[in-house]
Amino acid sequence: MEKVKTLIIGSGPAGYTAAIYSGRSGLDPILYSGLQPGGQLTTTTIVENFPGYPQGVDGNQMMMDLREQAARFGVIIRDGSITKADLSSRPFHLTDDRGNEIEAETLIIATGASAKYLGLEDEEKYKGQGVSACATCDGFFYRKRTVAVVGGGDTACEEALYLSGLAKKVYMIVRKPYLRAAEIMRKRVEEKENIEILYNTNTLGLFGENGVEGANLVKFKGEPNEEKFDINIDGFFLAIGHKPNTDIFKGQIDLDEQGFIKTIGNSASTNVEGVFAAGDVADPIYRQGIVAAGSGAKAAIEADRFLLKG
């Protein structure tokens, strides 16, 4: 049984920043990088809105920089995942995907969230080449171009409105005959001149030689009046929600209705003493790398203070 003062699960900006702070505080942390080392930022191409990179930076490169910085402070970084967690008593008892068991005095959960996709092969094919799940991250690349947003809720409306300030035209591809969003959001997108809402519409696929150039759509799918048609677009944005990676903690820690970890007030503390949450796993609102990094610092500082209190 391996014993550790601080175990960090996840390796996006939150996990790595927590590791940097914990390492510098002498907590000898161990970090498990998880199924997607580097987190969601590794699925984008250029990150332009993270301070300190005036020319922008490749998402993978940025995560490698953070990893190297964490290693410099003695953090033990392991590829692989934590598959079981028992948070019923301290020290916490965790098991990794190789069956190794760890006892942790404090735990920082930075497992992130996964964007929901439609499940089309083309989404994978064009990921980073026109397919995105973050308008705030990638919208800038589509200035004066044509894009589509998939979804009909508040998030989809927000993304469409944000993109409408950059793009020449925005299509909203909505499965239902109406928008599920709040009335004020519905009104805003309906009144925006360069947003066209395609109701009762599903995406069948995407096409393009060097990245996304268009989408194959179907209206009234499976109905007698079914109609297939194509639209020309340069970008395809998913806005059908995010699923927080919290399955192994269900029933052990307070989660909201969507499965995001609830933190207490403005802290990174959870309802379980000694367990802290950082990044997108506890953030259904902002979902930005810089916010995640900040919350990782908070979690590490709080873990250190918790250990000092004894």
Side-chain angles (χ1 to χ4, degrees):
M1 176 83 69
E2 187 174 23
K3 295 180 191 297
V4 62
K5 283 186 202 165
T6 300
L7 181 70
I8 301 164
I9 314 175
S11 60
Y16 281 141
T17 305
I20 290 164
Y21 273 73
S22 303
R24 289 184 80 245
S25 299
L27 301 183
D28 304 319
I30 292 175
L31 179 146
Y32 274 82
S33 58
L35 293 172
Q36 190 178 37
Q40 289 183 80
L41 278 186
T42 59
T43 66
T44 64
T45 42
I46 301 295
V47 179
E48 290 195 318
N49 55 3
F50 200 99
Y53 294 98
Q55 305 304 318
V57 60
D58 176 83
N60 286 284
Q61 183 60 51
M62 183 175 145
M63 289 303 107
M64 280 160 61
D65 291 346
L66 289 180
R67 184 183 177 115
E68 199 179 309
Q69 196 173 352
R72 185 181 144 217
F73 295 115
V75 179
I76 296 168
I77 299 169
R78 291 181 183 161
D79 293 326
S81 304
I82 295 294
T83 52
K84 276 187 200 164
D86 180 0
L87 310 182
S88 58
S89 61
R90 280 188 65 238
F92 308 114
H93 188 185
L94 301 109
T95 311
D96 71 14
D97 50 9
R98 292 182 185 89
N100 300 316
E101 296 187 7
I102 302 163
E103 274 190 354
E105 291 178 50
T106 56
L107 176 65
I108 296 174
I109 302 169
T111 47
S114 306
K116 291 180 185 168
Y117 285 83
L118 297 171
L120 304 170
E121 274 181 35
D122 291 339
E123 285 171 316
E124 203 57 48
K125 180 180 171 183
Y126 293 108
K127 204 178 268 188
Q129 297 180 62
V131 171
S132 170
C134 180
T136 321
C137 313
D138 299 327
F140 183 76
F141 303 113
Y142 297 93
R143 282 174 305 167
K144 303 201 166 27
R145 299 172 86 179
T146 303
V147 297
V149 174
V150 182
D154 284 320
T155 304
C157 289
E158 279 167 22
E159 304 267 275
L161 285 164
Y162 175 78
L163 289 164
S164 72
L166 298 164
K168 181 175 65 179
K169 174 161 183 136
V170 180
Y171 289 102
M172 282 189 79
I173 301 168
V174 184
R175 204 163 40 95
K176 296 186 184 309
Y178 56 87
L179 292 169
R180 286 181 294 107
E183 194 174 339
I184 189 161
M185 295 302 289
R186 285 204 307 266
K187 213 163 175 213
R188 279 181 193 156
V189 294
E190 284 166 359
E191 288 172 0
K192 195 81 182 166
E193 280 178 21
N194 63 336
I195 296 178
E196 183 180 340
I197 307 168
L198 305 171
Y199 291 111
N200 302 297
T201 302
N202 285 271
T203 308
L204 297 173
L206 302 167
F207 59 88
E209 290 292 316
N210 303 305
V212 171
E213 292 174 10
N216 311 117
L217 306 179
V218 58
K219 218 175 177 74
F220 303 114
K221 190 180 178 185
E223 303 291 320
N225 55 341
E226 180 179 285
E227 177 199 339
K228 289 180 180 173
F229 63 103
D230 295 345
I231 54 170
N232 294 321
I233 52 170
D234 304 294
F236 185 77
F237 288 84
L238 281 303
I240 51 177
H242 281 71
K243 182 187 181 295
N245 302 320
T246 50
D247 286 355
I248 65 167
F249 308 110
K250 275 182 184 156
Q252 305 193 67
I253 195 167
D254 278 356
L255 307 174
D256 72 8
E257 288 171 5
Q258 296 167 276
F260 289 92
I261 295 175
K262 288 183 181 178
T263 51
I264 297 164
N266 196 31
S267 75
S269 303
T270 69
N271 67 306
V272 179
E273 281 201 354
V275 178
F276 307 90
D280 286 12
V281 75
D283 177 14
I285 300 166
Y286 301 106
R287 301 197 306 273
Q288 297 298 302
I290 189 67
V291 178
S295 68
K298 279 164 64 171
I301 291 166
E302 289 176 36
D304 186 31
R305 287 175 182 168
F306 178 82
L307 289 165
L308 285 171
K309 277 195 309 190

